[in-house]
Amino acid sequence: MNSGPDPFLTYYAGNYYLSTSQNDSLRIWQASSLADLAAAQPNTVWVEQDPARNQDMWAPSFHLIDEQWYFYYTASDGSKDGNRLYVLRSVDSDPLGPYTFAGQLGAPDAWAIDPELLRLADQYYLLWSGPNNLLHIAPMSDPVTVSGRAVFLPSAGGCTEVREAPAIIQRDGTTYLVYSTCDTGKPDYQLWMHSLPPGADPLVPANWYQHPAAVFTRNDPADVFGPGSNGFFQSPDGSEDWLVYHAKDTSVYTYGGRTTRAQKFTWNADGTPAFGQPLSLDTDIALPSGDPQALGAIDSDRV
């Protein structure tokens, strides 16, 4: 079981690659089967020497573009307001690197966490949680350069505080922006969602439809609390969509005990994702379709 929160997981060229918030460096776990990630050893892909950005290294995500990986993350100098957004670039198509530092993203003096990349046709956009823990979006001229002003995305959430950890999944031309709300230390940390229809400009807030209720929440009978800060990945054969997220097994207010979990989800008749409920750690679930150990099951939904 990975002890880190804020997971990002993808499948590429015969392996799963998982990264979570590790604070002092950026690490990736690699395994050919989802069932083996829990026992895999971490690969440290980046250790930062600059004290302005070598602490609180959080919320990783990495994307393959033109045979290079772009690794987005949060880092700080350790101060309360020091969080900023950064990106690395790999020298080739190996997710484990080596990487080079590609730069800082967004305003240099504005607090920011949880960067995520949105791709629409040939255009790139950066999504993140900015001042007051609210969602923002900005255009990019390439995967490492923000080229326009930040636009605030009003977002509902069941709590007054926190709109963070944007994650993107796209299907049939529609873009779904899934994000986390409430303080992550609370048992009510949960997922909400916007959707953007095909062809709509993502920089116009009114183009994002706000879905009216949470799409993934605590499951008290299963002892799952605070599910959120998620990512998406597909099964090895591309036939299934999976959700990776962190959650706790206690309703006590705490940042401790957040562990990485994964489970399959389906789609509703109207085309929206149907995430269901977070599963108990005692639940054995079938491995993703095409996984080399797919005749077996994950020993619970932890990775």
Side-chain angles (χ1 to χ4, degrees), residues 33-35 283-288 291 293-301:
S33 172
L34 194 66
T283 302
D284 288 339
I285 60 175
L287 286 162
D291 188 290
Q293 299 184 36
L295 293 179
I298 306 174
D299 183 16
S300 83
D301 57 327

Side-chain angles (χ1 to χ4, degrees), residues 194-225:
H194 290 291
S195 57
L196 182 77
D201 185 349
L203 298 176
V204 177
N207 287 342
W208 291 94
Y209 170 68
Q210 174 69 67
H211 292 259
V215 294
F216 199 63
T217 64
R218 59 191 281 175
N219 184 355
D220 291 39
D223 291 325
V224 182
F225 302 94

